[in-house]
Amino acid sequence: GQQVMQIPQYQHVQEGEDFTTYCNSSTTLSNIQWYKQRPGGHPVFLIQLVKSGEVKKQKRLTFQFGEAKKNSSLHITATQTTDVGTYFCAGRWMDSSYKLIFGSGTRLLVRP
Amino acid sequence: EAQVTQNPRYLITVTGKKLTVTCSQNMNHEYMSWYRQDPGLGLRQIYYSMNVEVTDKGDVPEGYKVSRKEKRNFPLILESPSPNQTSLYFCASRDRGLKSYEQYFGPGTRLTVT
C-alpha cells in the first residue's frame, strides 16, 4: 500500500545546531504537507508543497519537495527550545484527494 | 474562535462497552476525518467524510463507525471496543477547494480500553 517513510525517528540536538527530517514515498505524490505536534498537543499544519522541486521558507524552517515528487525534507536552522516537538510529513497521492498518509514522525529534542 | 472540539478528552472503558467520541467544528468545513495516533506509527486515518451523508474508509476502519448527519459534527463510534483500540484519537477538518488544504485538528481524545 501507499506509505511515507520518515527518518530519523528521534533527533537530539544542542540549541543552535541545525536539524533535518526526511520523508520518502515509493510512488509519486500529488503534494506533501508538514505538521508539528508539541508534546501533549495536537498536530498543527505548517505548510503544503505541490510543485516539483519546490522550496519554501518560514523563518528558520526550509521545506523542500523533490524533483520527482517522491521525497521531501524539513530543515531547521539554529534550533531553539521552542522547536521541540514531533514533525510529521503527510503525503497525498494522485489517485486520491481525500486520503492523507502520515509518516511516523521525527521527534526533536533540543538541549538548552 | 475557529476550532475543532472533541469530547471526551479522556476515557477509560471496558471491552465491549459501546462508546461514542464526538467531534464538532465551527468553521463550516466540508471535509472531516478521524485519525488514531500510536507510538512509532504516526497518524493513521480511520474514516473521512467529504460532506453530509458522504463517508469513506481510511486505512484502519475495522472496529469503527462514523456518521455525518450534520455538517459540523462527525462522531466516531466504537460498537464493541477492544484493548487494541487503546490509542490517542484526533478529529480534523478542512475546507473544500484547491487552496483550502490546511487541516485543523481537535485537541485529541485519549482512550484506554481494559
Side-chain angles (χ1 to χ4, degrees), chain A residues 9 33 35 37 40-45 47-48 56 88 92 96-105, chain B residues 9 31 33 35 37 40-43 45 48 50 57-59 88 90 94 98 101-103 105-108:
Chain A
Q9 190 175 5
Q33 298 181 355
Y35 291 80
Q37 184 177 22
H42 58 274
V44 174
F45 176 85
I47 208 161
Q48 173 166 292
K56 287 188 176 181
F88 293 97
R92 184 171 281 119
S96 169
S97 63
Y98 309 117
K99 294 180 70 171
L100 202 60
I101 306 293
F102 280 77
S104 55
Chain B
R9 295 288 314 278
Y31 299 153
S33 295
Y35 296 87
Q37 184 175 24
L41 296 176
L43 291 103
Q45 194 173 45
Y48 57 94
M50 293 76 79
K57 296 177 180 179
D59 290 312
L88 178 58
F90 288 102
R94 73 172 178 92
L98 294 176
Y101 40 72
E102 177 176 351
Q103 277 201 113
F105 282 81

mmCIF file of all heavy atoms in Angstrom, chain A residues 9 33 35 37 40-45 47-48 56 88 92 96-105, chain B residues 9 31 33 35 37 40-43 45 48 50 57-59 88 90 94 98 101-103 105-108:
data_model
loop_
_atom_site.group_PDB
_atom_site.id
_atom_site.type_symbol
_atom_site.label_atom_id
_atom_site.label_comp_id
_atom_site.label_asym_id
_atom_site.label_seq_id
_atom_site.Cartn_x
_atom_site.Cartn_y
_atom_site.Cartn_z
ATOM 1 N N GLN A 9 13.859 8.767 13.463
ATOM 2 C CA GLN A 9 12.744 8.662 14.393
ATOM 3 C C GLN A 9 12.911 9.681 15.518
ATOM 4 O O GLN A 9 11.945 10.267 15.987
ATOM 5 C CB GLN A 9 12.678 7.245 14.962
ATOM 6 C CG GLN A 9 11.423 6.969 15.761
ATOM 7 C CD GLN A 9 11.332 5.508 16.197
ATOM 8 O OE1 GLN A 9 12.251 4.720 15.975
ATOM 9 N NE2 GLN A 9 10.224 5.152 16.814
ATOM 10 N N GLN A 33 2.388 17.576 2.870
ATOM 11 C CA GLN A 33 2.189 18.562 3.924
ATOM 12 C C GLN A 33 3.119 18.255 5.090
ATOM 13 O O GLN A 33 3.563 17.114 5.265
ATOM 14 C CB GLN A 33 0.737 18.526 4.418
ATOM 15 C CG GLN A 33 -0.286 18.877 3.357
ATOM 16 C CD GLN A 33 -1.705 18.846 3.886
ATOM 17 O OE1 GLN A 33 -1.975 18.477 5.020
ATOM 18 N NE2 GLN A 33 -2.659 19.270 3.046
ATOM 19 N N TYR A 35 3.495 18.923 9.374
ATOM 20 C CA TYR A 35 2.819 19.299 10.610
ATOM 21 C C TYR A 35 3.802 19.239 11.770
ATOM 22 O O TYR A 35 4.770 18.467 11.749
ATOM 23 C CB TYR A 35 1.665 18.328 10.915
ATOM 24 C CG TYR A 35 0.493 18.424 9.977
ATOM 25 C CD1 TYR A 35 0.530 17.821 8.721
ATOM 26 C CD2 TYR A 35 -0.654 19.120 10.333
ATOM 27 C CE1 TYR A 35 -0.545 17.916 7.847
ATOM 28 C CE2 TYR A 35 -1.740 19.212 9.478
ATOM 29 C CZ TYR A 35 -1.677 18.613 8.238
ATOM 30 O OH TYR A 35 -2.745 18.708 7.375
ATOM 31 N N GLN A 37 3.783 18.774 16.051
ATOM 32 C CA GLN A 37 2.986 18.429 17.221
ATOM 33 C C GLN A 37 3.847 18.649 18.459
ATOM 34 O O GLN A 37 4.847 17.958 18.666
ATOM 35 C CB GLN A 37 2.509 16.976 17.148
ATOM 36 C CG GLN A 37 1.595 16.560 18.274
ATOM 37 C CD GLN A 37 1.105 15.128 18.113
ATOM 38 O OE1 GLN A 37 1.707 14.323 17.428
ATOM 39 N NE2 GLN A 37 -0.009 14.786 18.767
ATOM 40 N N GLY A 40 2.165 16.612 24.099
ATOM 41 C CA GLY A 40 0.845 16.727 24.696
ATOM 42 C C GLY A 40 -0.166 17.490 23.867
ATOM 43 O O GLY A 40 -1.299 17.691 24.299
ATOM 44 N N GLY A 41 0.238 17.923 22.674
ATOM 45 C CA GLY A 41 -0.654 18.734 21.856
ATOM 46 C C GLY A 41 -1.169 18.000 20.637
ATOM 47 O O GLY A 41 -1.038 16.783 20.517
ATOM 48 N N HIS A 42 -1.764 18.756 19.754
ATOM 49 C CA HIS A 42 -2.308 18.182 18.541
ATOM 50 C C HIS A 42 -1.486 18.658 17.341
ATOM 51 O O HIS A 42 -0.791 19.677 17.425
ATOM 52 C CB HIS A 42 -3.773 18.582 18.363
ATOM 53 C CG HIS A 42 -3.995 20.062 18.312
ATOM 54 N ND1 HIS A 42 -4.150 20.828 19.439
ATOM 55 C CD2 HIS A 42 -4.068 20.918 17.265
ATOM 56 C CE1 HIS A 42 -4.332 22.079 19.098
ATOM 57 N NE2 HIS A 42 -4.267 22.168 17.783
ATOM 58 N N PRO A 43 -1.536 17.943 16.227
ATOM 59 C CA PRO A 43 -0.781 18.372 15.039
ATOM 60 C C PRO A 43 -1.258 19.733 14.554
ATOM 61 O O PRO A 43 -2.458 20.002 14.509
ATOM 62 C CB PRO A 43 -1.080 17.279 14.017
ATOM 63 C CG PRO A 43 -1.487 16.094 14.822
ATOM 64 C CD PRO A 43 -2.204 16.659 16.004
ATOM 65 N N VAL A 44 -0.286 20.552 14.183
ATOM 66 C CA VAL A 44 -0.584 21.872 13.643
ATOM 67 C C VAL A 44 0.050 21.975 12.260
ATOM 68 O O VAL A 44 1.233 21.699 12.094
ATOM 69 C CB VAL A 44 -0.043 22.978 14.567
ATOM 70 C CG1 VAL A 44 -0.232 24.349 13.917
ATOM 71 C CG2 VAL A 44 -0.722 22.935 15.921
ATOM 72 N N PHE A 45 -0.755 22.365 11.314
ATOM 73 C CA PHE A 45 -0.301 22.479 9.926
ATOM 74 C C PHE A 45 0.798 23.526 9.805
ATOM 75 O O PHE A 45 0.698 24.637 10.349
ATOM 76 C CB PHE A 45 -1.496 22.868 9.059
ATOM 77 C CG PHE A 45 -1.184 23.127 7.618
ATOM 78 C CD1 PHE A 45 -1.125 22.086 6.715
ATOM 79 C CD2 PHE A 45 -0.963 24.421 7.172
ATOM 80 C CE1 PHE A 45 -0.855 22.326 5.379
ATOM 81 C CE2 PHE A 45 -0.690 24.668 5.846
ATOM 82 C CZ PHE A 45 -0.638 23.624 4.938
ATOM 83 N N ILE A 47 2.841 23.648 6.417
ATOM 84 C CA ILE A 47 2.965 24.052 5.022
ATOM 85 C C ILE A 47 2.527 22.922 4.103
ATOM 86 O O ILE A 47 2.499 21.761 4.521
ATOM 87 C CB ILE A 47 4.419 24.459 4.712
ATOM 88 C CG1 ILE A 47 4.486 25.483 3.592
ATOM 89 C CG2 ILE A 47 5.280 23.231 4.411
ATOM 90 C CD1 ILE A 47 5.812 26.240 3.572
ATOM 91 N N GLN A 48 2.205 23.262 2.863
ATOM 92 C CA GLN A 48 1.974 22.269 1.826
ATOM 93 C C GLN A 48 2.884 22.575 0.637
ATOM 94 O O GLN A 48 3.020 23.744 0.246
ATOM 95 C CB GLN A 48 0.516 22.267 1.369
ATOM 96 C CG GLN A 48 0.267 21.348 0.163
ATOM 97 C CD GLN A 48 -1.166 21.045 -0.118
ATOM 98 O OE1 GLN A 48 -1.824 20.356 0.652
ATOM 99 N NE2 GLN A 48 -1.667 21.556 -1.242
ATOM 100 N N LYS A 56 10.229 26.138 0.060
ATOM 101 C CA LYS A 56 9.543 27.208 0.768
ATOM 102 C C LYS A 56 10.224 27.439 2.103
ATOM 103 O O LYS A 56 10.729 26.494 2.720
ATOM 104 C CB LYS A 56 8.070 26.869 0.999
ATOM 105 C CG LYS A 56 7.204 26.929 -0.252
ATOM 106 C CD LYS A 56 5.738 26.769 0.108
ATOM 107 C CE LYS A 56 4.855 26.915 -1.112
ATOM 108 N NZ LYS A 56 3.404 26.773 -0.773
ATOM 109 N N PHE A 88 5.807 15.813 11.474
ATOM 110 C CA PHE A 88 5.238 14.809 10.592
ATOM 111 C C PHE A 88 5.140 15.343 9.172
ATOM 112 O O PHE A 88 4.754 16.496 8.962
ATOM 113 C CB PHE A 88 3.808 14.442 11.021
ATOM 114 C CG PHE A 88 3.691 13.730 12.334
ATOM 115 C CD1 PHE A 88 3.398 14.444 13.489
ATOM 116 C CD2 PHE A 88 3.850 12.367 12.420
ATOM 117 C CE1 PHE A 88 3.271 13.793 14.706
ATOM 118 C CE2 PHE A 88 3.727 11.705 13.634
ATOM 119 C CZ PHE A 88 3.444 12.419 14.778
ATOM 120 N N ARG A 92 -0.150 13.012 -0.107
ATOM 121 C CA ARG A 92 -1.401 12.761 -0.817
ATOM 122 C C ARG A 92 -1.033 12.284 -2.221
ATOM 123 O O ARG A 92 -0.179 12.877 -2.869
ATOM 124 C CB ARG A 92 -2.258 14.017 -0.864
ATOM 125 C CG ARG A 92 -3.611 13.809 -1.495
ATOM 126 C CD ARG A 92 -4.490 15.030 -1.319
ATOM 127 N NE ARG A 92 -5.082 15.097 0.021
ATOM 128 C CZ ARG A 92 -4.885 16.075 0.888
ATOM 129 N NH1 ARG A 92 -4.075 17.063 0.582
ATOM 130 N NH2 ARG A 92 -5.467 16.063 2.066
ATOM 131 N N SER A 96 -6.056 10.091 -5.205
ATOM 132 C CA SER A 96 -6.983 10.362 -4.108
ATOM 133 C C SER A 96 -6.732 11.755 -3.568
ATOM 134 O O SER A 96 -5.614 12.105 -3.243
ATOM 135 C CB SER A 96 -6.803 9.341 -2.984
ATOM 136 O OG SER A 96 -7.509 9.756 -1.824
ATOM 137 N N SER A 97 -7.747 12.520 -3.449
ATOM 138 C CA SER A 97 -7.562 13.868 -2.904
ATOM 139 C C SER A 97 -8.033 13.961 -1.466
ATOM 140 O O SER A 97 -7.891 15.000 -0.852
ATOM 141 C CB SER A 97 -8.328 14.881 -3.745
ATOM 142 O OG SER A 97 -9.711 14.610 -3.674
ATOM 143 N N TYR A 98 -8.554 12.861 -0.932
ATOM 144 C CA TYR A 98 -9.092 12.910 0.416
ATOM 145 C C TYR A 98 -8.198 12.225 1.435
ATOM 146 O O TYR A 98 -8.168 12.601 2.584
ATOM 147 C CB TYR A 98 -10.471 12.243 0.460
ATOM 148 C CG TYR A 98 -11.415 12.765 -0.588
ATOM 149 C CD1 TYR A 98 -11.908 11.947 -1.590
ATOM 150 C CD2 TYR A 98 -11.819 14.089 -0.561
ATOM 151 C CE1 TYR A 98 -12.758 12.437 -2.550
ATOM 152 C CE2 TYR A 98 -12.679 14.578 -1.522
ATOM 153 C CZ TYR A 98 -13.147 13.746 -2.518
ATOM 154 O OH TYR A 98 -13.985 14.232 -3.463
ATOM 155 N N LYS A 99 -7.516 11.195 1.009
ATOM 156 C CA LYS A 99 -6.711 10.431 1.941
ATOM 157 C C LYS A 99 -5.336 11.062 2.083
ATOM 158 O O LYS A 99 -4.691 11.421 1.112
ATOM 159 C CB LYS A 99 -6.570 8.987 1.464
ATOM 160 C CG LYS A 99 -7.878 8.218 1.478
ATOM 161 C CD LYS A 99 -7.717 6.796 0.995
ATOM 162 C CE LYS A 99 -6.951 5.956 1.978
ATOM 163 N NZ LYS A 99 -6.977 4.516 1.604
ATOM 164 N N LEU A 100 -4.920 11.173 3.315
ATOM 165 C CA LEU A 100 -3.623 11.738 3.647
ATOM 166 C C LEU A 100 -2.874 10.679 4.449
ATOM 167 O O LEU A 100 -3.375 10.209 5.466
ATOM 168 C CB LEU A 100 -3.833 12.996 4.477
ATOM 169 C CG LEU A 100 -2.744 14.054 4.538
ATOM 170 C CD1 LEU A 100 -2.441 14.592 3.159
ATOM 171 C CD2 LEU A 100 -3.185 15.176 5.461
ATOM 172 N N ILE A 101 -1.698 10.288 3.987
ATOM 173 C CA ILE A 101 -0.911 9.276 4.683
ATOM 174 C C ILE A 101 0.236 9.959 5.418
ATOM 175 O O ILE A 101 1.070 10.627 4.791
ATOM 176 C CB ILE A 101 -0.340 8.230 3.704
ATOM 177 C CG1 ILE A 101 -1.454 7.618 2.859
ATOM 178 C CG2 ILE A 101 0.420 7.157 4.477
ATOM 179 C CD1 ILE A 101 -2.442 6.782 3.624
ATOM 180 N N PHE A 102 0.274 9.771 6.716
ATOM 181 C CA PHE A 102 1.292 10.408 7.537
ATOM 182 C C PHE A 102 2.523 9.523 7.679
ATOM 183 O O PHE A 102 2.422 8.291 7.766
ATOM 184 C CB PHE A 102 0.747 10.689 8.934
ATOM 185 C CG PHE A 102 -0.109 11.925 9.017
ATOM 186 C CD1 PHE A 102 -1.411 11.924 8.562
ATOM 187 C CD2 PHE A 102 0.409 13.092 9.557
ATOM 188 C CE1 PHE A 102 -2.192 13.074 8.628
ATOM 189 C CE2 PHE A 102 -0.362 14.239 9.639
ATOM 190 C CZ PHE A 102 -1.658 14.225 9.173
ATOM 191 N N GLY A 103 3.678 10.167 7.715
ATOM 192 C CA GLY A 103 4.890 9.483 8.125
ATOM 193 C C GLY A 103 4.841 9.235 9.627
ATOM 194 O O GLY A 103 3.963 9.760 10.322
ATOM 195 N N SER A 104 5.791 8.464 10.115
ATOM 196 C CA SER A 104 5.782 8.094 11.535
ATOM 197 C C SER A 104 6.291 9.215 12.438
ATOM 198 O O SER A 104 6.183 9.117 13.654
ATOM 199 C CB SER A 104 6.594 6.829 11.758
ATOM 200 O OG SER A 104 7.902 6.998 11.246
ATOM 201 N N GLY A 105 6.842 10.260 11.831
ATOM 202 C CA GLY A 105 7.250 11.416 12.616
ATOM 203 C C GLY A 105 8.703 11.372 13.069
ATOM 204 O O GLY A 105 9.290 10.305 13.229
ATOM 205 N N ARG B 9 -12.205 14.169 26.430
ATOM 206 C CA ARG B 9 -10.760 14.277 26.200
ATOM 207 C C ARG B 9 -10.041 13.033 26.689
ATOM 208 O O ARG B 9 -9.016 12.644 26.131
ATOM 209 C CB ARG B 9 -10.206 15.498 26.921
ATOM 210 C CG ARG B 9 -10.736 16.821 26.402
ATOM 211 C CD ARG B 9 -10.160 17.148 25.028
ATOM 212 N NE ARG B 9 -8.726 16.939 24.974
ATOM 213 C CZ ARG B 9 -7.830 17.800 25.390
ATOM 214 N NH1 ARG B 9 -8.219 18.952 25.903
ATOM 215 N NH2 ARG B 9 -6.540 17.531 25.296
ATOM 216 N N TYR B 31 -14.878 18.878 4.693
ATOM 217 C CA TYR B 31 -14.141 17.634 4.907
ATOM 218 C C TYR B 31 -13.826 17.425 6.381
ATOM 219 O O TYR B 31 -13.336 18.348 7.048
ATOM 220 C CB TYR B 31 -12.822 17.642 4.135
ATOM 221 C CG TYR B 31 -12.944 17.751 2.641
ATOM 222 C CD1 TYR B 31 -11.916 18.307 1.900
ATOM 223 C CD2 TYR B 31 -14.074 17.309 1.974
ATOM 224 C CE1 TYR B 31 -12.014 18.407 0.518
ATOM 225 C CE2 TYR B 31 -14.186 17.407 0.604
ATOM 226 C CZ TYR B 31 -13.149 17.962 -0.120
ATOM 227 O OH TYR B 31 -13.249 18.070 -1.488
ATOM 228 N N SER B 33 -12.203 14.235 9.175
ATOM 229 C CA SER B 33 -11.512 12.954 9.258
ATOM 230 C C SER B 33 -11.308 12.564 10.715
ATOM 231 O O SER B 33 -11.268 13.431 11.596
ATOM 232 C CB SER B 33 -10.129 13.037 8.600
ATOM 233 O OG SER B 33 -10.205 13.262 7.227
ATOM 234 N N TYR B 35 -8.459 10.253 12.946
ATOM 235 C CA TYR B 35 -7.164 9.597 12.949
ATOM 236 C C TYR B 35 -6.932 8.962 14.313
ATOM 237 O O TYR B 35 -7.442 9.430 15.315
ATOM 238 C CB TYR B 35 -6.031 10.601 12.713
ATOM 239 C CG TYR B 35 -6.035 11.274 11.373
ATOM 240 C CD1 TYR B 35 -6.762 12.440 11.157
ATOM 241 C CD2 TYR B 35 -5.287 10.758 10.322
ATOM 242 C CE1 TYR B 35 -6.750 13.066 9.924
ATOM 243 C CE2 TYR B 35 -5.268 11.377 9.083
ATOM 244 C CZ TYR B 35 -6.001 12.537 8.896
ATOM 245 O OH TYR B 35 -5.988 13.160 7.678
ATOM 246 N N GLN B 37 -3.515 7.844 16.701
ATOM 247 C CA GLN B 37 -2.073 8.017 16.797
ATOM 248 C C GLN B 37 -1.516 7.026 17.804
ATOM 249 O O GLN B 37 -1.925 7.009 18.973
ATOM 250 C CB GLN B 37 -1.714 9.441 17.224
ATOM 251 C CG GLN B 37 -0.223 9.699 17.254
ATOM 252 C CD GLN B 37 0.113 11.139 17.550
ATOM 253 O OE1 GLN B 37 -0.651 11.876 18.148
ATOM 254 N NE2 GLN B 37 1.279 11.574 17.082
ATOM 255 N N GLY B 40 5.279 5.423 17.287
ATOM 256 C CA GLY B 40 6.046 4.844 16.193
ATOM 257 C C GLY B 40 5.278 4.653 14.904
ATOM 258 O O GLY B 40 5.854 4.258 13.886
ATOM 259 N N LEU B 41 3.977 4.924 14.926
ATOM 260 C CA LEU B 41 3.159 4.690 13.737
ATOM 261 C C LEU B 41 2.592 5.976 13.138
ATOM 262 O O LEU B 41 1.910 5.940 12.115
ATOM 263 C CB LEU B 41 1.999 3.741 14.061
ATOM 264 C CG LEU B 41 2.396 2.336 14.479
ATOM 265 C CD1 LEU B 41 1.166 1.531 14.855
ATOM 266 C CD2 LEU B 41 3.166 1.641 13.350
ATOM 267 N N GLY B 42 2.843 7.079 13.756
ATOM 268 C CA GLY B 42 2.295 8.322 13.235
ATOM 269 C C GLY B 42 0.789 8.365 13.382
ATOM 270 O O GLY B 42 0.212 7.746 14.267
ATOM 271 N N LEU B 43 0.154 9.106 12.493
ATOM 272 C CA LEU B 43 -1.302 9.200 12.493
ATOM 273 C C LEU B 43 -1.853 8.362 11.350
ATOM 274 O O LEU B 43 -1.397 8.479 10.212
ATOM 275 C CB LEU B 43 -1.744 10.653 12.309
ATOM 276 C CG LEU B 43 -1.449 11.575 13.469
ATOM 277 C CD1 LEU B 43 -0.249 12.443 13.163
ATOM 278 C CD2 LEU B 43 -2.651 12.448 13.777
ATOM 279 N N GLN B 45 -5.341 7.248 9.285
ATOM 280 C CA GLN B 45 -6.702 7.702 9.037
ATOM 281 C C GLN B 45 -7.690 6.551 9.217
ATOM 282 O O GLN B 45 -7.521 5.463 8.649
ATOM 283 C CB GLN B 45 -6.805 8.280 7.631
ATOM 284 C CG GLN B 45 -8.062 9.081 7.374
ATOM 285 C CD GLN B 45 -8.022 9.752 6.022
ATOM 286 O OE1 GLN B 45 -7.661 9.143 5.020
ATOM 287 N NE2 GLN B 45 -8.400 11.018 5.972
ATOM 288 N N TYR B 48 -13.081 9.145 6.776
ATOM 289 C CA TYR B 48 -13.189 10.539 6.410
ATOM 290 C C TYR B 48 -14.556 10.791 5.785
ATOM 291 O O TYR B 48 -15.250 9.847 5.371
ATOM 292 C CB TYR B 48 -12.057 10.980 5.469
ATOM 293 C CG TYR B 48 -11.936 10.197 4.185
ATOM 294 C CD1 TYR B 48 -12.557 10.627 3.020
ATOM 295 C CD2 TYR B 48 -11.162 9.049 4.132
ATOM 296 C CE1 TYR B 48 -12.430 9.928 1.841
ATOM 297 C CE2 TYR B 48 -11.025 8.331 2.951
ATOM 298 C CZ TYR B 48 -11.652 8.775 1.814
ATOM 299 O OH TYR B 48 -11.522 8.071 0.637
ATOM 300 N N MET B 50 -16.573 13.597 3.092
ATOM 301 C CA MET B 50 -16.445 14.700 2.146
ATOM 302 C C MET B 50 -17.595 15.699 2.274
ATOM 303 O O MET B 50 -17.502 16.817 1.799
ATOM 304 C CB MET B 50 -16.386 14.168 0.711
ATOM 305 C CG MET B 50 -15.135 13.366 0.408
ATOM 306 S SD MET B 50 -15.153 11.701 1.113
ATOM 307 C CE MET B 50 -16.193 10.847 -0.068
ATOM 308 N N LYS B 57 -13.959 4.846 4.035
ATOM 309 C CA LYS B 57 -12.973 4.250 4.918
ATOM 310 C C LYS B 57 -11.592 4.820 4.657
ATOM 311 O O LYS B 57 -11.216 5.087 3.518
ATOM 312 C CB LYS B 57 -12.939 2.732 4.697
ATOM 313 C CG LYS B 57 -14.229 2.024 5.049
ATOM 314 C CD LYS B 57 -14.131 0.531 4.741
ATOM 315 C CE LYS B 57 -15.432 -0.171 5.090
ATOM 316 N NZ LYS B 57 -15.381 -1.612 4.771
ATOM 317 N N GLY B 58 -10.843 4.967 5.739
ATOM 318 C CA GLY B 58 -9.443 5.315 5.643
ATOM 319 C C GLY B 58 -8.614 4.048 5.644
ATOM 320 O O GLY B 58 -9.022 3.027 5.102
ATOM 321 N N ASP B 59 -7.470 4.098 6.306
ATOM 322 C CA ASP B 59 -6.558 2.953 6.299
ATOM 323 C C ASP B 59 -6.839 1.925 7.376
ATOM 324 O O ASP B 59 -6.503 0.759 7.222
ATOM 325 C CB ASP B 59 -5.117 3.442 6.450
ATOM 326 C CG ASP B 59 -4.658 4.173 5.211
ATOM 327 O OD1 ASP B 59 -4.864 3.644 4.113
ATOM 328 O OD2 ASP B 59 -4.114 5.276 5.344
ATOM 329 N N LEU B 88 -4.654 7.327 20.981
ATOM 330 C CA LEU B 88 -4.971 8.752 21.009
ATOM 331 C C LEU B 88 -5.683 9.080 19.692
ATOM 332 O O LEU B 88 -5.138 8.816 18.620
ATOM 333 C CB LEU B 88 -3.697 9.571 21.164
ATOM 334 C CG LEU B 88 -3.817 11.088 21.164
ATOM 335 C CD1 LEU B 88 -4.738 11.555 22.282
ATOM 336 C CD2 LEU B 88 -2.439 11.721 21.314
ATOM 337 N N PHE B 90 -7.663 11.701 17.056
ATOM 338 C CA PHE B 90 -7.805 13.089 16.626
ATOM 339 C C PHE B 90 -8.850 13.204 15.532
ATOM 340 O O PHE B 90 -8.871 12.419 14.591
ATOM 341 C CB PHE B 90 -6.485 13.629 16.072
ATOM 342 C CG PHE B 90 -5.436 13.876 17.103
ATOM 343 C CD1 PHE B 90 -4.393 12.989 17.274
ATOM 344 C CD2 PHE B 90 -5.484 15.013 17.898
ATOM 345 C CE1 PHE B 90 -3.410 13.218 18.227
ATOM 346 C CE2 PHE B 90 -4.510 15.259 18.853
ATOM 347 C CZ PHE B 90 -3.474 14.351 19.016
ATOM 348 N N ARG B 94 -11.191 20.294 7.251
ATOM 349 C CA ARG B 94 -10.638 21.290 6.330
ATOM 350 C C ARG B 94 -11.724 21.708 5.359
ATOM 351 O O ARG B 94 -12.709 20.987 5.146
ATOM 352 C CB ARG B 94 -9.414 20.783 5.592
ATOM 353 C CG ARG B 94 -9.670 19.764 4.505
ATOM 354 C CD ARG B 94 -8.380 19.501 3.732
ATOM 355 N NE ARG B 94 -8.552 18.485 2.689
ATOM 356 C CZ ARG B 94 -8.875 18.750 1.441
ATOM 357 N NH1 ARG B 94 -9.080 19.996 1.052
ATOM 358 N NH2 ARG B 94 -8.987 17.774 0.566
ATOM 359 N N LEU B 98 -9.196 24.162 -3.778
ATOM 360 C CA LEU B 98 -7.794 23.886 -4.093
ATOM 361 C C LEU B 98 -6.852 24.553 -3.100
ATOM 362 O O LEU B 98 -5.776 24.046 -2.820
ATOM 363 C CB LEU B 98 -7.477 24.354 -5.516
ATOM 364 C CG LEU B 98 -8.183 23.591 -6.636
ATOM 365 C CD1 LEU B 98 -7.861 24.213 -7.981
ATOM 366 C CD2 LEU B 98 -7.781 22.127 -6.607
ATOM 367 N N TYR B 101 -6.382 23.590 1.865
ATOM 368 C CA TYR B 101 -5.864 22.264 2.165
ATOM 369 C C TYR B 101 -5.414 22.106 3.604
ATOM 370 O O TYR B 101 -5.096 21.026 4.042
ATOM 371 C CB TYR B 101 -4.691 21.952 1.239
ATOM 372 C CG TYR B 101 -3.792 23.145 1.007
ATOM 373 C CD1 TYR B 101 -2.964 23.620 2.007
ATOM 374 C CD2 TYR B 101 -3.791 23.789 -0.220
ATOM 375 C CE1 TYR B 101 -2.153 24.712 1.786
ATOM 376 C CE2 TYR B 101 -2.971 24.886 -0.445
ATOM 377 C CZ TYR B 101 -2.149 25.341 0.556
ATOM 378 O OH TYR B 101 -1.345 26.419 0.336
ATOM 379 N N GLU B 102 -5.371 23.182 4.355
ATOM 380 C CA GLU B 102 -4.896 23.105 5.733
ATOM 381 C C GLU B 102 -5.893 22.344 6.585
ATOM 382 O O GLU B 102 -7.085 22.684 6.622
ATOM 383 C CB GLU B 102 -4.691 24.499 6.310
ATOM 384 C CG GLU B 102 -4.266 24.497 7.761
ATOM 385 C CD GLU B 102 -3.979 25.881 8.281
ATOM 386 O OE1 GLU B 102 -3.947 26.819 7.466
ATOM 387 O OE2 GLU B 102 -3.803 26.014 9.509
ATOM 388 N N GLN B 103 -5.431 21.309 7.266
ATOM 389 C CA GLN B 103 -6.274 20.558 8.184
ATOM 390 C C GLN B 103 -6.154 21.147 9.579
ATOM 391 O O GLN B 103 -5.057 21.444 10.042
ATOM 392 C CB GLN B 103 -5.868 19.087 8.238
ATOM 393 C CG GLN B 103 -6.436 18.238 7.130
ATOM 394 C CD GLN B 103 -6.452 16.773 7.479
ATOM 395 O OE1 GLN B 103 -7.499 16.160 7.635
ATOM 396 N NE2 GLN B 103 -5.278 16.196 7.606
ATOM 397 N N PHE B 105 -6.840 20.300 13.479
ATOM 398 C CA PHE B 105 -7.032 19.151 14.355
ATOM 399 C C PHE B 105 -7.676 19.566 15.674
ATOM 400 O O PHE B 105 -7.430 20.661 16.191
ATOM 401 C CB PHE B 105 -5.691 18.479 14.654
ATOM 402 C CG PHE B 105 -5.186 17.616 13.530
ATOM 403 C CD1 PHE B 105 -4.531 18.171 12.448
ATOM 404 C CD2 PHE B 105 -5.372 16.240 13.562
ATOM 405 C CE1 PHE B 105 -4.064 17.374 11.407
ATOM 406 C CE2 PHE B 105 -4.908 15.436 12.534
ATOM 407 C CZ PHE B 105 -4.255 15.997 11.451
ATOM 408 N N GLY B 106 -8.478 18.641 16.197
ATOM 409 C CA GLY B 106 -9.008 18.812 17.532
ATOM 410 C C GLY B 106 -7.933 18.507 18.564
ATOM 411 O O GLY B 106 -6.834 18.089 18.218
ATOM 412 N N PRO B 107 -8.252 18.676 19.852
ATOM 413 C CA PRO B 107 -7.256 18.510 20.913
ATOM 414 C C PRO B 107 -6.901 17.059 21.215
ATOM 415 O O PRO B 107 -5.912 16.797 21.898
ATOM 416 C CB PRO B 107 -7.913 19.166 22.124
ATOM 417 C CG PRO B 107 -9.377 19.005 21.863
ATOM 418 C CD PRO B 107 -9.545 19.134 20.381
ATOM 419 N N GLY B 108 -7.689 16.122 20.713
ATOM 420 C CA GLY B 108 -7.401 14.714 20.933
ATOM 421 C C GLY B 108 -8.238 14.097 22.040
ATOM 422 O O GLY B 108 -8.671 14.784 22.975
#
